[in-house]
Amino acid sequence: MSVAIGKREQRIVAIVWVIGIIVVWELASFLLKYVIQDPMASAKLPYPHIVAMTFVENWKILLEAGLVTFSRAAIGFALGSSVGILLAVLMSLSKTMERIAFPYLIVSQMIPVLGLAPIIFNIVRDMNVSRIMIAAYITFFPVAVNMLSGLKSVEQEKKDLLFSIASSKFKVYQKLMLPFSMSYLFTGLKIAAPMAVTASILVDMLGSKSGIGVKILYSLYSNSSNIFWASVLTSAFMGIISFYVVVFAERLCLPWQKATPRKEGVRA
Amino acid sequence: MKSKVITILWPLAFGIALILAWQFGLFHKVLDLKPFQLPVPSEIASTLAANLPKALKDCGVTISGALVGMIIGSLMGFMIAAIATFFPKWGYGGMIVVTALNAVPIVALSPIMNLWFSTGMEQKIAVVTVVCMAAMAINGYSGLNNINPYSIDLMHSVAASEWTIFKKLRFPNSLPYIFTASKINIASSIIAAIISEYFAASTSGLGFGIKDNLRKAEMAMGWSYIVVASLAGVILYCVILLVERDALKWHASQK
Amino acid sequence: MNAPEIQIKNVSMVYPVNNGQDIVALTDVNLDIQEGEFISLLGPSGCGKTTLLRIIADLNQPTAGSVAIRGQSPRDIRMQRKYGIVFQNPVLYDWRTVRRNICMPMEIMGIPKKERTARINRVLELVGLQDFGDKYPFELSGGMQQRVGIARALALDPEFLFMDEPFSALDEFTREKLNEDLLSIWSKAKKTVIFVTHNIPESVFLSDRVVVLSPHPGRISAIVDINLPRPRENSIRETPEFYEYVTKIRRSFEGV
């Protein structure tokens, strides 16, 4: 970073930003309604305070629906992460394995996975299973690629040190490779978490009976625009929360990271 | 030379084995599926061949929307990153907000865009724009700011203006990051375009095609659309890779 | 004289390069090292000194020739975990505190917990880091980090100590201080030490013998016995004898 700003100041800046956005939004809604006189104004961009009130009034339903979607996303996320980590370890263990799997890993990202959602839903015919599957599939890629890049970034000297005391392959992974890759893994997890939530919401919208995606669609078709906006906001919060849960977990798990946190990850 | 052949042969053999296993019903047996649920590759290929003009036309609609949205979104994203760089104190806070926005599920965006824009194409472009903007802003900001402090000191030592520093140092430094963002955005723009077509008023495009064909239980057709979309994605990805190789000859990642 | 502790016979190392011009890192190196000796491998970069150390430590395999350590192969010695190694970088694990970094090889070797703790306390005191045991590496200065690397090697109580330019990244003041510390540790433990460096005064100060290597291709060009009295302290650097050795070695480079 080129500028050093204090933690306190940072927080103030962020708060001002949030307030600023709300104010601009209020203003834009007002302009849309009274200056441009758009007849659809209250649906296109309702006042944020009205959306907030709707949110407060309906928080129980929204929270319930959100939890349904969020929990499926979390299961898929856990599943996809485990498979991704496993594949990365296998690829780092065997050159042949890496040769086979890596090109497909890249190509698999080009397959519009979320485009597959309706097809997978058609095959499994079970809401929860397809939600979990798609969330898992989408989690899997960034986790595997980042984990692999972590495993490959271990400095040779660190491996030499363990080699010099004749440690077994298992010990090398246990004591060096896996802990070393943790920060890379978390980069992958941070990318994957909101994507898992997105996947889960999408499957909701494709014909589920419960979940926040259903709330979005129903309220859209039944012209209850306030509920619609509150639902959209809920889903946005879900994505943001999932991201910060991982950030929090990282702080907790990797206390030595405070000094030099890794900024960018491998996404493609 | 030998290792190069192996690098290509292994994955190729694996791919062929996979397709053969699929063709001869291994997946159907393992997953207990009927052929109408999961069409075999030969069926998908013949369906695609029979409907190629229509598939290509739909692909063109989706891809053009995705590309336009990606270009607008990337430009806007980079502008946000540049502005945030010129005003470090407030820009940093703004980037936190953008990072949060990046976590917003895209699906939630498409119904909103349906309200704002009337035609399918506009909706699509709007969704893709928003999606690509965040990734470019975040990566661009890192690129413009992850700079060796000595390089900036060197610039200051010759009394370079902020604008000169941007032009001569920050912008070239950000190029690798811009390409990273572009590679991310290629994949996500196609996905975003398809998703927006699921929900939009479109009557053409890959997303509409997939949804429509599934509704009509034409699974093979749906799959062939997926194949087309993937191929388009891979081709665009390769184009970006080629441009990157040409533009970033100096960067370590290209060796 | 006893049979040499380490016997290096006709060792050559060639790195194949794609364009056909292979790099000859070492050619026909012969060297005997006695028990308890402090040997420096000295030379400019590219002379193969690090490669030679890595061959002795079984981290690289020579393309020709052999190394015998007490009549055994380097691999046997490595499998019996008889040597400790210190690298140019401290090679600390960021996620472990100083104590747990020192502990790590002992965990792998299956040394009981009580014994580990005792050894950690002993080596921490030896390198003067008693008060820093619970810090993470990023909280330490470069010199302190390098001390941890040395402490980790010493904690194994190895019979051989291999050091690959351990102080080259440090400033001159820290380097001289650590040189002195290293000698006082060595005088207590009397291990056989092979020390790789490109710093002439450092090699003279530390060693019983300085093995001078020259590049293109890497080979031994001189072996200089250092007959300075021990124990040595930094004040010895100001004596004419010390200066003579340094000059002699420097001249041996100008000759090539």
Side-chain angles (χ1 to χ4, degrees), chain C residues 197-212:
Chain C
T197 179
H198 56 231
N199 185 303
I200 300 175
E202 181 176 66
S203 69
V204 172
F205 179 74
L206 292 172
S207 318
D208 294 321
R209 278 194 295 159
V210 175
V211 176
V212 182

Side-chain angles (χ1 to χ4, degrees), chain C residues 11-129:
Chain C
V11 163
S12 295
M13 183 75 176
V14 180
Y15 290 107
V17 180
N18 276 336
N19 62 15
Q21 289 181 316
D22 295 347
I23 294 172
V24 183
L26 287 172
T27 180
D28 206 22
V29 171
N30 287 284
L31 181 67
D32 287 350
I33 297 168
Q34 304 300 327
E35 189 180 345
E37 210 176 2
F38 198 121
I39 287 266
S40 284
L41 305 178
L42 173 78
S45 39
C47 72
K49 52 191 191 300
T50 292
T51 307
L52 184 57
L53 184 82
R54 290 178 63 91
I55 288 171
I56 299 169
D58 192 39
L59 298 176
N60 285 121
Q61 301 306 317
T63 35
S66 66
V67 175
I69 305 173
R70 290 190 186 155
Q72 292 178 303
S73 71
R75 184 183 145 78
D76 291 334
I77 296 297
R78 179 174 66 82
M79 295 311 284
Q80 294 161 25
R81 296 159 170 166
K82 281 205 172 144
Y83 72 80
I85 190 161
V86 182
F87 296 96
Q88 185 171 357
N89 301 312
V91 193
L92 300 181
Y93 294 180
D94 305 323
W95 55 93
R96 284 171 171 250
T97 60
V98 168
R99 297 188 75 91
R100 298 201 57 235
N101 259 292
I102 298 173
C103 191
M104 198 273 312
M106 293 193 281
E107 283 168 21
I108 289 176
M109 289 163 63
I111 293 169
K113 180 139 200 238
K114 221 172 139 192
E115 168 80 18
R116 291 198 305 239
T117 315
R119 285 197 194 185
I120 292 169
N121 290 336
R122 187 169 56 85
V123 293
L124 274 180
E125 201 163 326
L126 215 51
V127 298
L129 288 177

Side-chain angles (χ1 to χ4, degrees), chain B residues 10-26:
Chain B
W10 269 114
L12 201 68
F14 178 75
I16 292 171
L18 207 67
I19 290 179
L20 285 180
W22 183 354
Q23 177 73 35
F24 293 108
L26 194 68

